[in-house]
Amino acid sequence: MNATVSAELGLRLVVPDRTTVPLLAGLSYTADDPYAIRMAFHVGNDEPVEWIFARELLTVGIVRRVGDGDVQVWPARTDGERTLNISLTSPFGQALFEVPLPPLTEFLHRTYELVSAGRETDFMDLDEELTNMLWSS
């Protein structure tokens, strides 16, 4: 089964003086990797920068602050618009993104139509996952 949900999302990078830079991100979700959402940030002409998020992290972040370490997510309002803040930290620096809520929630809704919450393991080949984990160590 190779069912995929994808979307293009306009979001904003918040720079230090609190101004914002519009960016485009590609979101993708596959039933083959049911816990993960891939977000590819298109920055300039370079190859997109890809981050992988737990689907549950983005879902819970709509309601309350969640995450610790490199990825933190929390709800906000920007100019009256409901947004999701995503803070990413890596050895290369830190970035804060404002994501408009309606297109993100629509995307998440479609992922849950594909794989219901709590049914993720039905879509995984546990024997293959274990083999991959054992051979990669």
PDB file of all heavy atoms in Angstrom, residues 69-89:
ATOM      1  N   GLY A  69      13.324  19.877  23.421  1.00  0.00           N
ATOM      2  CA  GLY A  69      14.511  19.642  22.624  1.00  0.00           C
ATOM      3  C   GLY A  69      14.461  20.406  21.318  1.00  0.00           C
ATOM      4  O   GLY A  69      14.142  21.592  21.292  1.00  0.00           O
ATOM      5  N   ASP A  70      14.730  19.707  20.215  1.00  0.00           N
ATOM      6  CA  ASP A  70      14.916  20.354  18.914  1.00  0.00           C
ATOM      7  C   ASP A  70      13.637  20.874  18.274  1.00  0.00           C
ATOM      8  O   ASP A  70      13.686  21.751  17.426  1.00  0.00           O
ATOM      9  CB  ASP A  70      15.574  19.375  17.938  1.00  0.00           C
ATOM     10  CG  ASP A  70      16.976  18.997  18.373  1.00  0.00           C
ATOM     11  OD1 ASP A  70      17.541  19.700  19.231  1.00  0.00           O
ATOM     12  OD2 ASP A  70      17.505  18.002  17.858  1.00  0.00           O
ATOM     13  N   VAL A  71      12.496  20.295  18.633  1.00  0.00           N
ATOM     14  CA  VAL A  71      11.233  20.683  17.999  1.00  0.00           C
ATOM     15  C   VAL A  71      10.206  21.027  19.071  1.00  0.00           C
ATOM     16  O   VAL A  71       9.924  20.227  19.948  1.00  0.00           O
ATOM     17  CB  VAL A  71      10.683  19.540  17.109  1.00  0.00           C
ATOM     18  CG1 VAL A  71       9.374  19.956  16.464  1.00  0.00           C
ATOM     19  CG2 VAL A  71      11.697  19.129  16.056  1.00  0.00           C
ATOM     20  N   GLN A  72       9.678  22.253  18.993  1.00  0.00           N
ATOM     21  CA  GLN A  72       8.601  22.669  19.887  1.00  0.00           C
ATOM     22  C   GLN A  72       7.494  23.285  19.044  1.00  0.00           C
ATOM     23  O   GLN A  72       7.764  23.974  18.065  1.00  0.00           O
ATOM     24  CB  GLN A  72       9.106  23.674  20.919  1.00  0.00           C
ATOM     25  CG  GLN A  72      10.135  23.057  21.857  1.00  0.00           C
ATOM     26  CD  GLN A  72      10.607  24.012  22.918  1.00  0.00           C
ATOM     27  OE1 GLN A  72       9.916  24.966  23.260  1.00  0.00           O
ATOM     28  NE2 GLN A  72      11.795  23.765  23.444  1.00  0.00           N
ATOM     29  N   VAL A  73       6.262  23.019  19.453  1.00  0.00           N
ATOM     30  CA  VAL A  73       5.096  23.445  18.689  1.00  0.00           C
ATOM     31  C   VAL A  73       4.070  24.016  19.663  1.00  0.00           C
ATOM     32  O   VAL A  73       3.873  23.452  20.740  1.00  0.00           O
ATOM     33  CB  VAL A  73       4.496  22.237  17.931  1.00  0.00           C
ATOM     34  CG1 VAL A  73       3.315  22.640  17.088  1.00  0.00           C
ATOM     35  CG2 VAL A  73       5.549  21.552  17.067  1.00  0.00           C
ATOM     36  N   TRP A  74       3.434  25.145  19.302  1.00  0.00           N
ATOM     37  CA  TRP A  74       2.392  25.706  20.163  1.00  0.00           C
ATOM     38  C   TRP A  74       1.446  26.586  19.357  1.00  0.00           C
ATOM     39  O   TRP A  74       1.812  27.146  18.339  1.00  0.00           O
ATOM     40  CB  TRP A  74       2.995  26.486  21.339  1.00  0.00           C
ATOM     41  CG  TRP A  74       3.750  27.728  20.976  1.00  0.00           C
ATOM     42  CD1 TRP A  74       3.273  29.007  20.972  1.00  0.00           C
ATOM     43  CD2 TRP A  74       5.125  27.826  20.564  1.00  0.00           C
ATOM     44  NE1 TRP A  74       4.260  29.892  20.595  1.00  0.00           N
ATOM     45  CE2 TRP A  74       5.407  29.190  20.342  1.00  0.00           C
ATOM     46  CE3 TRP A  74       6.146  26.888  20.361  1.00  0.00           C
ATOM     47  CZ2 TRP A  74       6.654  29.643  19.918  1.00  0.00           C
ATOM     48  CZ3 TRP A  74       7.386  27.334  19.939  1.00  0.00           C
ATOM     49  CH2 TRP A  74       7.633  28.699  19.728  1.00  0.00           C
ATOM     50  N   PRO A  75       0.193  26.680  19.852  1.00  0.00           N
ATOM     51  CA  PRO A  75      -0.799  27.510  19.150  1.00  0.00           C
ATOM     52  C   PRO A  75      -0.549  28.987  19.427  1.00  0.00           C
ATOM     53  O   PRO A  75       0.006  29.353  20.467  1.00  0.00           O
ATOM     54  CB  PRO A  75      -2.125  27.058  19.763  1.00  0.00           C
ATOM     55  CG  PRO A  75      -1.768  26.555  21.128  1.00  0.00           C
ATOM     56  CD  PRO A  75      -0.370  26.009  21.032  1.00  0.00           C
ATOM     57  N   ALA A  76      -0.960  29.839  18.487  1.00  0.00           N
ATOM     58  CA  ALA A  76      -0.788  31.285  18.649  1.00  0.00           C
ATOM     59  C   ALA A  76      -1.822  32.011  17.809  1.00  0.00           C
ATOM     60  O   ALA A  76      -2.555  31.405  17.034  1.00  0.00           O
ATOM     61  CB  ALA A  76       0.628  31.695  18.226  1.00  0.00           C
ATOM     62  N   ARG A  77      -1.854  33.314  18.004  1.00  0.00           N
ATOM     63  CA  ARG A  77      -2.660  34.198  17.139  1.00  0.00           C
ATOM     64  C   ARG A  77      -1.736  35.269  16.601  1.00  0.00           C
ATOM     65  O   ARG A  77      -1.006  35.896  17.353  1.00  0.00           O
ATOM     66  CB  ARG A  77      -3.788  34.856  17.927  1.00  0.00           C
ATOM     67  CG  ARG A  77      -5.015  34.019  18.015  1.00  0.00           C
ATOM     68  CD  ARG A  77      -6.223  34.830  18.490  1.00  0.00           C
ATOM     69  NE  ARG A  77      -7.367  33.959  18.638  1.00  0.00           N
ATOM     70  CZ  ARG A  77      -8.188  33.651  17.637  1.00  0.00           C
ATOM     71  NH1 ARG A  77      -8.026  34.163  16.458  1.00  0.00           N
ATOM     72  NH2 ARG A  77      -9.196  32.832  17.856  1.00  0.00           N
ATOM     73  N   THR A  78      -1.769  35.460  15.293  1.00  0.00           N
ATOM     74  CA  THR A  78      -0.957  36.492  14.654  1.00  0.00           C
ATOM     75  C   THR A  78      -1.895  37.371  13.844  1.00  0.00           C
ATOM     76  O   THR A  78      -2.520  36.886  12.905  1.00  0.00           O
ATOM     77  CB  THR A  78       0.103  35.841  13.736  1.00  0.00           C
ATOM     78  OG1 THR A  78       0.834  34.875  14.501  1.00  0.00           O
ATOM     79  CG2 THR A  78       1.060  36.882  13.204  1.00  0.00           C
ATOM     80  N   ASP A  79      -1.998  38.619  14.232  1.00  0.00           N
ATOM     81  CA  ASP A  79      -2.915  39.553  13.551  1.00  0.00           C
ATOM     82  C   ASP A  79      -4.328  38.974  13.459  1.00  0.00           C
ATOM     83  O   ASP A  79      -4.971  39.049  12.414  1.00  0.00           O
ATOM     84  CB  ASP A  79      -2.391  39.910  12.151  1.00  0.00           C
ATOM     85  CG  ASP A  79      -1.030  40.578  12.213  1.00  0.00           C
ATOM     86  OD1 ASP A  79      -0.777  41.299  13.196  1.00  0.00           O
ATOM     87  OD2 ASP A  79      -0.230  40.374  11.286  1.00  0.00           O
ATOM     88  N   GLY A  80      -4.787  38.356  14.538  1.00  0.00           N
ATOM     89  CA  GLY A  80      -6.137  37.805  14.572  1.00  0.00           C
ATOM     90  C   GLY A  80      -6.273  36.449  13.911  1.00  0.00           C
ATOM     91  O   GLY A  80      -7.316  35.816  13.984  1.00  0.00           O
ATOM     92  N   GLU A  81      -5.228  35.985  13.237  1.00  0.00           N
ATOM     93  CA  GLU A  81      -5.266  34.700  12.538  1.00  0.00           C
ATOM     94  C   GLU A  81      -4.719  33.614  13.463  1.00  0.00           C
ATOM     95  O   GLU A  81      -3.678  33.794  14.089  1.00  0.00           O
ATOM     96  CB  GLU A  81      -4.387  34.801  11.276  1.00  0.00           C
ATOM     97  CG  GLU A  81      -4.196  33.493  10.554  1.00  0.00           C
ATOM     98  CD  GLU A  81      -3.126  33.572   9.453  1.00  0.00           C
ATOM     99  OE1 GLU A  81      -2.090  34.235   9.653  1.00  0.00           O
ATOM    100  OE2 GLU A  81      -3.337  32.948   8.413  1.00  0.00           O
ATOM    101  N   ARG A  82      -5.430  32.485  13.562  1.00  0.00           N
ATOM    102  CA  ARG A  82      -4.924  31.360  14.353  1.00  0.00           C
ATOM    103  C   ARG A  82      -3.778  30.702  13.602  1.00  0.00           C
ATOM    104  O   ARG A  82      -3.910  30.378  12.422  1.00  0.00           O
ATOM    105  CB  ARG A  82      -6.037  30.347  14.618  1.00  0.00           C
ATOM    106  CG  ARG A  82      -7.087  30.884  15.583  1.00  0.00           C
ATOM    107  CD  ARG A  82      -8.108  29.829  15.953  1.00  0.00           C
ATOM    108  NE  ARG A  82      -7.462  28.741  16.675  1.00  0.00           N
ATOM    109  CZ  ARG A  82      -7.902  27.478  16.647  1.00  0.00           C
ATOM    110  NH1 ARG A  82      -8.962  27.146  15.944  1.00  0.00           N
ATOM    111  NH2 ARG A  82      -7.279  26.535  17.332  1.00  0.00           N
ATOM    112  N   THR A  83      -2.652  30.548  14.303  1.00  0.00           N
ATOM    113  CA  THR A  83      -1.476  29.956  13.681  1.00  0.00           C
ATOM    114  C   THR A  83      -0.891  28.885  14.601  1.00  0.00           C
ATOM    115  O   THR A  83      -1.244  28.795  15.776  1.00  0.00           O
ATOM    116  CB  THR A  83      -0.385  31.015  13.405  1.00  0.00           C
ATOM    117  OG1 THR A  83      -0.026  31.641  14.633  1.00  0.00           O
ATOM    118  CG2 THR A  83      -0.846  32.056  12.402  1.00  0.00           C
ATOM    119  N   LEU A  84       0.004  28.117  14.035  1.00  0.00           N
ATOM    120  CA  LEU A  84       0.788  27.162  14.797  1.00  0.00           C
ATOM    121  C   LEU A  84       2.231  27.625  14.712  1.00  0.00           C
ATOM    122  O   LEU A  84       2.745  27.859  13.612  1.00  0.00           O
ATOM    123  CB  LEU A  84       0.650  25.760  14.201  1.00  0.00           C
ATOM    124  CG  LEU A  84       1.350  24.649  14.971  1.00  0.00           C
ATOM    125  CD1 LEU A  84       0.611  24.387  16.289  1.00  0.00           C
ATOM    126  CD2 LEU A  84       1.409  23.378  14.143  1.00  0.00           C
ATOM    127  N   ASN A  85       2.876  27.805  15.853  1.00  0.00           N
ATOM    128  CA  ASN A  85       4.295  28.140  15.869  1.00  0.00           C
ATOM    129  C   ASN A  85       5.094  26.848  15.920  1.00  0.00           C
ATOM    130  O   ASN A  85       4.790  25.958  16.719  1.00  0.00           O
ATOM    131  CB  ASN A  85       4.653  29.000  17.082  1.00  0.00           C
ATOM    132  CG  ASN A  85       4.245  30.445  16.901  1.00  0.00           C
ATOM    133  OD1 ASN A  85       4.001  30.905  15.803  1.00  0.00           O
ATOM    134  ND2 ASN A  85       4.174  31.158  17.996  1.00  0.00           N
ATOM    135  N   ILE A  86       6.101  26.763  15.059  1.00  0.00           N
ATOM    136  CA  ILE A  86       7.012  25.617  15.068  1.00  0.00           C
ATOM    137  C   ILE A  86       8.420  26.158  15.248  1.00  0.00           C
ATOM    138  O   ILE A  86       8.891  26.952  14.426  1.00  0.00           O
ATOM    139  CB  ILE A  86       6.920  24.808  13.754  1.00  0.00           C
ATOM    140  CG1 ILE A  86       5.504  24.270  13.541  1.00  0.00           C
ATOM    141  CG2 ILE A  86       7.938  23.667  13.765  1.00  0.00           C
ATOM    142  CD1 ILE A  86       5.301  23.561  12.210  1.00  0.00           C
ATOM    143  N   SER A  87       9.057  25.765  16.340  1.00  0.00           N
ATOM    144  CA  SER A  87      10.426  26.183  16.620  1.00  0.00           C
ATOM    145  C   SER A  87      11.348  24.997  16.381  1.00  0.00           C
ATOM    146  O   SER A  87      11.140  23.918  16.948  1.00  0.00           O
ATOM    147  CB  SER A  87      10.536  26.660  18.068  1.00  0.00           C
ATOM    148  OG  SER A  87      11.894  26.918  18.391  1.00  0.00           O
ATOM    149  N   LEU A  88      12.354  25.183  15.511  1.00  0.00           N
ATOM    150  CA  LEU A  88      13.299  24.128  15.170  1.00  0.00           C
ATOM    151  C   LEU A  88      14.703  24.565  15.578  1.00  0.00           C
ATOM    152  O   LEU A  88      15.106  25.690  15.294  1.00  0.00           O
ATOM    153  CB  LEU A  88      13.283  23.862  13.663  1.00  0.00           C
ATOM    154  CG  LEU A  88      11.935  23.526  13.045  1.00  0.00           C
ATOM    155  CD1 LEU A  88      12.077  23.371  11.542  1.00  0.00           C
ATOM    156  CD2 LEU A  88      11.368  22.269  13.666  1.00  0.00           C
ATOM    157  N   THR A  89      15.430  23.673  16.223  1.00  0.00           N
ATOM    158  CA  THR A  89      16.796  23.960  16.619  1.00  0.00           C
ATOM    159  C   THR A  89      17.695  22.852  16.091  1.00  0.00           C
ATOM    160  O   THR A  89      17.358  21.666  16.220  1.00  0.00           O
ATOM    161  CB  THR A  89      16.921  24.018  18.162  1.00  0.00           C
ATOM    162  OG1 THR A  89      15.980  24.972  18.648  1.00  0.00           O
ATOM    163  CG2 THR A  89      18.309  24.438  18.589  1.00  0.00           C
TER     164      THR A  89
END
